[in-house]
Amino acid sequence: MAKQHIGLIFLVIACGLIKDYVRCQKEPRLQILPIQEVQRKPVGKPFLLTCRPDVPDPNLITDLQWRDNSNMRVVPKTPNVYSPMYNSKGQKILLESGQSSPPMYTEVLPGDQSLALMITSLTEGMAGMYYCSASYANNVPLEISVKIETYVAITWVNAAESQFPKAGKTSTIFCEVTANPAPTVDWLRNGDPIKSGGRYAVDARGLLIRDIDQNDDGIYTCRAAVIQTGELVERNIRVEVHIPPVIMSLPKVLEAVEEQQFSVQCNATGKPVPEYTWIKDHSQVNVETADRFLVNKITGQMSITRVTHEDYGTYTCIAKNNAGQDEATTLINVLIRPRVYELLNITIAENKEGALICKATGRPAPEITFRRWGREEEFVTGTQPDDDRIVLEQTANDERGEATGTLRIYKMMRSDDGLYECVARNRGQQAFKVGHITVEYKPNFDHMKGLPPVFSWEERRANLSCLAQGFPNATIEWRLNDRAIKDLGDPNLQIEGHGPRSDLLVTPRDRRYYTAYKCIASNRLGVATHEMILREARLPDLVQSATPRIVTATTMTFDIIGPATELGLPILTYSVQFKDQNQQDWTYAYNKTWTAANEKTVDSVYTIEGLRPATAYSFRFAARNLVGLGQWGAYKQQSTPVRSVPEPPKILHATDKNTDSNDEEQIIVSPYSDHFDLSWQISADNGEPINYYQVRYCPGLKMDGAWNEIAQLCVTQDVPVTVTNDFKMNGLSGDTYYRIEVRAHNAIGFSQPSPLLMRTARGSDLVIRVDTPELSSAAIIGIAIAGVLLLIILIDFLLCLIMNTGIMASLCRRTKRSPSELDDESKIGSGQLVKEPPPSPLPLPPPVKLGGSPLTTPLEEKEPLNTPCGSMKNSIVEYDGRVVHSRSGEIIGKNSSV
């Protein structure tokens, strides 16, 4: 083992001696990279030569430097300092403004003691021999040289990448090339070589094309090659042949109307699209610079914002592009539009003759006609075919440019009253002016016929409003028992206004004030009389009957027949009190109030919720109007059943109208082929809350009137109770019948199932029926908007029924007006009358309110109902479409107990 170690030591020593020997034998030298004695480089490009020492010990290298082609040392680049540099002729090289580096400098490369010669941009003067020298071990000089040869690369001198020759001429596609050595040039078009001859010729300037046209458009390739250097460069040139403009058509004569706008279009062909200029020939003025003129250089449209007679004359349109220009002229003839200078309003008594005269000027003299304001039809010259009372007469003077039109009406009628428009036109231009025919007539009360009497009670002041139609405005006098009320001196009868609107304010201190009053209107043409009646309102009569229609363990729905109908105040609400039969006193009974059904209410439901199962209840009912709550009546005793399973759910789906109506089960058609959205209404729980619903659906078919289901494909699923109560049936088959059953479950058990027979759509989902035309996107948007509007109307309808508020309720109050609602001008509040000037004959105004707070109808009561006899303090007078009445007091809410 010791001998082996000694041998290994001798081997290592021998290897070290051999390595030192080889190192000692290596000859020091310099190496220039890239390794090439002659470096041939293009002028204008940056260039790099690296001098690397190839010596045994690089640390012994000193004075490593480069010398240029003038044998001058190339110095390193000093930051922010430019060192003087000299070319081969000894001339100083100056740096250009903004240049950050000298054209030639040296730089030590990190890591291996190499020195790089940096040439930022090679010039022809930099060609020649370059030397790299150094000293090794202070006594061994080293040097190596390299020759740099330059050549001029291919350069495009006149070779624009986009060129636009003119059509119809011999044109040159320019492509001049310089290089040293000289290059050879050939051409391609759209990738295909072009051969000289025929229409093509190649010279030193480029490619010459004879009779060039639009078909010569394309991409031309100018290809230059230098065989000596192997350089090959291509330049793509887009050639677009331009075509001189040609003006298509410009009318020889155009007509412009004075004081109106005017425009004319000048259309020309050409490539590129020409620009347009308009010149007025008389003054040789470019109209683009003139007032009131606008010129669109792109479209050729000349516009005059306001034509004057000075604009008459000949105009020249000039269309110009790079290939040439074209001109065309037109004459603009200025017309003077009609002007109506006289139209006087007239006032004529009924059954008399009247004439409406209109005068106008213009050139040519205009034709004059008339039409009723708001109508499109004009009166024809002469007697009117549908009314021989009306005659249109026309005269004209072309020399003076004047015309007169007369609309003559025999036996003037009230319907002739209104605005009339005089229309004067010439050569398609028109002028308008509106005049008025006022027809005088004696007073009348036609608009007040059929209005119901006015109601009041408990000495509430009532307003009898009288509005007479007539012109001139009528003067109104009130009479009671053929005596002028103003002469009676009765403080309970007050008159406000004397025409054409007058209000009689009656405070009925006793029953003799509930009687008829006469309103007498008169003007210089005649007299008219209208009788108004003040009646006393009373509480509603007893409710005729209240019959239980639906009875469950916790709810009860009644059919209510109200008091016998008569001309009086309408029933506003129905109230019910209910208590356990074991309770003798009604003081602590529960209360509920419903809005009464009327002619606008559909399927009103009078339902009591929250009853106890297996309990005998006593019920009594009363009706309320504005006077107050009537007497209790329609006593009824009814027991609720014991707690039981829930009532069957009501499935909310419309049946297919195409199915046989005699079928025991109607068929629902799903719009989808693979799923169905099932929904149902919450059912009564009969004393125990519903904790979930169960949905079962089976595919099958009907054979001989019997349903045959495929039991192995039935699906049963429990659905939790939610607000929407819906369930999505997925994974269905297309064009298949399914029998569906929905049952409600509570702690007692399941309800009876609610069945439904459904058929899925055929194939892919169908959103609409096959025989229905496909809806456009506009129709879909319209349907969506209609749906939103329908929802808003439905909400407003419910507000009108329940709370007597909303737009519909306001419209109802405005359309059903009584004599007390004659005008918005008269409003009485807190016992004081506020008067405004009466209007001319118009529809009757909204109701006049006599003090007090508005009627409230709370739905939830917090105390037992009591008949509010003698408790009415404040009052409001309103009109419901049948009667005018006062109201007071408050309506008690519902569903409360003490």
Side-chain angles (χ1 to χ4, degrees):
M1 181 66 66
K3 293 181 178 181
Q4 292 178 353
H5 290 168
I6 295 173
L8 182 59
I9 292 172
F10 277 109
L11 180 61
V12 171
I13 294 173
C15 289
L17 294 175
I18 294 173
K19 183 177 181 180
D20 291 340
Y21 176 77
V22 171
R23 183 185 301 170
C24 294
Q25 294 300 318
K26 184 176 181 180
E27 182 180 354
R29 64 190 182 93
L30 297 177
Q31 185 180 24
I32 295 177
L33 300 177
I35 302 174
Q36 192 172 351
E37 293 183 358
V38 177
Q39 302 284 343
R40 185 175 179 83
K41 300 297 177 181
V43 172
K45 300 294 183 180
F47 184 41
L48 168 68
L49 290 175
T50 302
C51 182
R52 175 184 297 172
D54 185 12
V55 296
D57 188 357
N59 295 324
L60 299 179
I61 287 292
T62 56
D63 196 22
L64 182 61
Q65 61 178 299
W66 276 97
R67 299 195 305 279
D68 61 12
N69 54 356
S70 299
N71 205 26
M72 300 291 293
R73 180 177 179 178
V74 181
V75 298
K77 179 179 69 173
T78 302
N80 301 324
V81 177
Y82 296 129
S83 301
M85 296 296 296
Y86 297 88
N87 58 18
S88 58
K89 299 180 181 180
Q91 297 172 338
K92 186 176 181 180
I93 300 175
L94 299 178
L95 297 178
E96 297 180 0
S97 176
Q99 186 175 347
S100 60
S101 300
M104 185 185 303
Y105 61 91
T106 60
E107 184 176 308
V108 177
L109 299 181
D112 55 358
Q113 298 293 331
S114 298
L115 184 64
L117 176 64
M118 304 286 189
I119 300 177
T120 57
S121 179
L122 191 63
T123 64
E124 291 186 80
M126 293 181 182
M129 294 297 297
Y130 286 77
Y131 303 91
C132 177
S133 61
S135 177
Y136 181 68
N138 293 326
N139 57 5
V140 179
L142 302 177
E143 185 177 82
I144 190 171
S145 64
V146 63
K147 184 177 182 181
I148 296 178
E149 294 183 357
T150 61
Y151 67 91
V152 178
I154 294 175
T155 303
W156 308 107
V157 177
N158 181 16
E161 294 182 341
S162 294
Q163 299 187 30
F164 309 98
K166 297 179 181 179
K169 298 181 180 180
T170 298
S171 299
T172 300
I173 311 303
F174 293 98
C175 181
E176 298 183 27
V177 186
T178 61
N180 186 14
T184 59
V185 178
D186 62 343
W187 287 83
L188 298 90
R189 181 190 175 193
N190 297 330
D192 299 326
I194 297 177
K195 296 182 180 179
S196 296
R199 297 176 58 240
Y200 298 103
V202 179
D203 59 17
R205 296 184 305 161
L207 176 65
L208 185 143
I209 304 177
R210 299 179 180 85
D211 297 327
I212 195 167
D213 58 25
Q214 288 188 86
N215 296 326
D216 293 314
D217 286 356
I219 302 299
Y220 289 75
T221 302
C222 177
R223 186 166 61 185
V226 178
I227 299 176
Q228 294 86 339
T229 62
E231 187 178 13
L232 178 64
V233 182
E234 295 180 349
R235 167 157 288 200
N236 291 329
I237 300 173
R238 182 178 66 87
V239 175
E240 181 180 320
V241 179
H242 284 183
I243 302 173
V246 175
I247 296 177
M248 303 300 292
S249 61
L250 188 64
K252 297 298 182 183
V253 179
L254 295 170
E255 290 185 347
V257 181
E258 189 179 28
E259 300 298 327
Q260 288 190 357
Q261 294 182 352
F262 171 80
S263 65
V264 57
Q265 190 81 27
C266 181
N267 294 319
T269 61
K271 184 180 176 184
V273 175
E275 288 190 357
Y276 298 87
T277 304
W278 282 88
I279 304 295
K280 188 173 183 179
D281 294 349
H282 176 72
S283 58
Q284 288 299 305
V285 172
N286 185 340
V287 299
E288 184 180 0
T289 62
D291 293 338
R292 300 179 292 104
F293 283 80
L294 298 173
V295 176
N296 190 321
K297 293 184 177 181
I298 305 301
T299 63
Q301 177 173 298
M302 178 185 70
S303 301
I304 306 176
T305 58
R306 183 177 55 84
V307 176
T308 67
H309 66 279
E310 297 176 351
D311 298 329
Y312 173 89
T314 302
Y315 294 78
T316 298
C317 171
I318 302 174
K320 183 178 182 180
N321 66 9
N322 294 335
Q325 72 178 43
D326 192 20
E327 299 180 358
T329 60
T330 184
L331 173 66
I332 297 181
N333 184 23
V334 178
L335 302 178
I336 300 178
R337 61 175 297 176
R339 184 178 66 86
V340 177
Y341 68 89
E342 182 178 306
L343 179 61
L344 302 178
N345 299 332
I346 61 174
T347 300
I348 306 295
E350 197 172 12
N351 294 320
K352 300 296 183 180
E353 177 185 335
L356 190 64
I357 301 174
C358 179
K359 297 181 180 180
T361 61
R363 290 195 183 276
E367 177 188 8
I368 297 179
T369 61
F370 290 86
R371 65 183 170 202
R372 286 294 296 265
W373 179 258
R375 296 183 183 177
E376 294 294 332
E377 303 81 10
E378 297 179 0
F379 293 104
V380 298
T381 304
T383 303
Q384 305 309 301
D386 57 348
D387 192 344
D388 58 4
R389 300 179 305 110
I390 303 177
V391 178
L392 175 60
E393 303 169 354
Q394 294 179 334
T395 59
N397 187 329
D398 289 331
E399 292 183 0
R400 299 178 58 184
E402 295 182 351
T404 301
T406 303
L407 186 67
R408 197 175 304 278
I409 303 177
Y410 300 93
K411 294 183 179 181
M412 194 74 69
M413 301 170 59
R414 286 180 55 189
S415 59
D416 296 323
D417 190 294
L419 296 173
Y420 290 79
E421 188 174 51
C422 171
V423 183
R425 59 168 60 90
N426 65 356
R427 306 283 282 272
Q429 305 303 316
Q430 302 182 107
F432 307 93
K433 193 168 186 179
V434 177
H436 189 268
I437 295 179
T438 303
V439 180
E440 296 180 330
Y441 58 96
K442 67 180 182 179
N444 69 81
F445 294 99
D446 295 341
H447 60 292
M448 296 184 65
K449 291 181 179 180
L451 289 178
V454 178
F455 280 80
S456 182
W457 61 95
E458 293 185 347
E459 301 184 10
R460 295 167 182 261
R461 185 162 59 174
N463 184 358
L464 281 67
S465 296
C466 184
L467 178 63
Q469 290 183 337
F471 190 79
N473 287 335
T475 301
I476 293 179
E477 178 186 14
W478 287 93
R479 287 183 175 270
L480 175 61
N481 298 326
D482 292 330
R483 296 181 61 189
I485 293 179
K486 66 179 180 179
D487 298 333
L488 296 179
D490 190 341
N492 296 318
L493 299 174
Q494 298 180 9
I495 298 175
E496 296 291 342
H498 300 283
R501 159 123 178 224
S502 179
D503 297 312
L504 177 60
L505 306 180
V506 181
T507 304
R509 299 299 182 187
D510 52 51
R511 298 189 60 83
R512 63 188 175 90
Y513 289 97
Y514 293 104
T515 185
Y517 300 85
K518 284 186 179 180
C519 173
I520 302 174
S522 61
N523 65 9
R524 60 184 176 84
L525 300 178
V527 179
T529 302
H530 180 68
E531 187 176 81
M532 303 188 70
I533 300 175
L534 177 63
R535 290 186 177 177
E536 183 177 12
R538 58 185 177 82
L539 293 172
D541 292 336
L542 294 175
V543 174
Q544 295 187 40
S545 67
T547 306
R549 176 161 56 93
I550 301 174
V551 179
T552 70
T554 57
T555 65
M556 200 171 299
T557 300
F558 288 86
D559 290 329
I560 298 178
I561 299 178
T565 58
E566 62 177 60
L567 185 59
L569 299 180
I571 301 301
L572 300 178
T573 61
Y574 288 112
S575 296
V576 62
Q577 283 188 337
F578 57 97
K579 64 181 181 62
D580 194 310
Q581 285 186 10
N582 297 328
Q583 291 180 352
Q584 299 299 323
D585 190 358
W586 286 91
T587 303
Y588 300 102
Y590 290 89
N591 307 305
K592 186 176 180 68
T593 298
W594 303 283
T595 300
N598 52 48
E599 63 272 11
K600 295 185 178 180
T601 306
V602 180
D603 295 334
S604 292
V605 178
Y606 304 109
T607 302
I608 302 174
E609 301 91 358
L611 302 179
R612 297 192 303 274
T615 304
Y617 285 94
S618 295
F619 301 89
R620 64 177 184 177
F621 298 83
R624 178 186 290 274
N625 62 11
L626 288 176
V627 179
L629 186 68
Q631 297 297 321
W632 295 105
Y635 287 84
K636 181 69 62 177
Q637 292 183 350
Q638 181 69 43
S639 298
T640 56
V642 298
R643 287 183 174 84
S644 63
V645 298
E647 295 295 315
K650 181 181 179 181
I651 297 179
L652 304 175
H653 290 281
T655 57
D656 186 2
K657 296 181 180 179
N658 297 323
T659 59
D660 187 1
S661 60
N662 295 324
D663 287 350
E664 183 177 324
E665 294 179 282
Q666 297 295 305
I667 298 176
I668 304 300
V669 178
S670 171
Y672 310 102
S673 62
D674 60 347
H675 69 276
F676 177 66
D677 296 322
L678 178 66
S679 59
W680 58 88
Q681 191 176 32
I682 297 176
S683 54
D685 58 18
N686 283 336
E688 289 291 340
I690 298 173
N691 47 19
Y692 66 89
Y693 292 90
Q694 188 180 82
V695 179
R696 182 178 185 269
Y697 54 97
C698 303
L701 50 87
K702 255 188 176 180
M703 298 181 62
D704 298 329
W707 174 259
N708 295 284
E709 63 184 31
I710 305 174
Q712 60 270 26
L713 297 180
C714 291
V715 176
T716 301
Q717 188 164 346
D718 294 338
V719 180
V721 178
T722 62
V723 176
T724 56
N725 286 324
D726 54 11
F727 174 68
K728 188 170 186 178
M729 299 164 48
N730 292 312
L732 306 183
S733 300
D735 196 19
T736 303
Y737 287 90
Y738 284 86
R739 180 179 174 83
I740 305 170
E741 291 182 348
V742 182
R743 298 192 298 174
H745 183 271
N746 62 11
I748 299 176
F750 283 102
S751 69
Q752 291 295 319
S754 295
L756 176 68
L757 190 59
M758 182 272 296
R759 178 172 60 86
T760 55
R762 180 180 303 171
S764 59
D765 292 348
L766 300 177
V767 178
I768 56 175
R769 295 180 62 90
V770 176
D771 55 353
T772 301
E774 184 176 359
L775 296 177
S776 65
S777 59
I780 294 174
I781 294 173
I783 291 173
I785 294 174
V788 174
L789 292 177
L790 182 60
L791 179 60
I792 294 173
I793 294 173
L794 179 59
I795 294 174
D796 188 71
F797 180 70
L798 295 176
L799 290 174
C800 177
L801 292 180
I802 298 173
M803 303 180 66
N804 196 26
T805 60
I807 299 175
M808 193 174 298
S810 176
L811 292 177
C812 290
R813 289 194 292 270
R814 291 188 179 183
T815 56
K816 298 181 178 181
R817 291 171 289 192
S818 70
S820 64
E821 302 173 296
L822 292 177
D823 205 289
D824 286 333
E825 304 163 353
S826 298
K827 294 185 179 178
I828 301 176
S830 302
Q832 295 183 354
L833 182 66
V834 179
K835 285 293 295 176
E836 295 179 5
S840 59
L842 292 173
L844 293 180
V848 176
K849 298 186 177 180
L850 298 175
S853 59
L855 175 67
T856 58
T857 309
L859 298 181
E860 297 298 330
E861 299 172 350
K862 301 305 180 183
E863 58 184 351
L865 286 178
N866 294 308
T867 304
C869 298
S871 61
M872 294 176 286
K873 298 180 181 178
N874 299 324
S875 64
I876 295 177
V877 177
E878 289 194 355
Y879 172 55
D880 67 355
R882 297 191 298 273
V883 295
V884 180
H885 48 265
S886 298
R887 68 184 185 184
S888 67
E890 298 181 352
I891 293 180
I892 304 176
K894 63 179 181 178
N895 277 354
S896 67
S897 64
V898 177

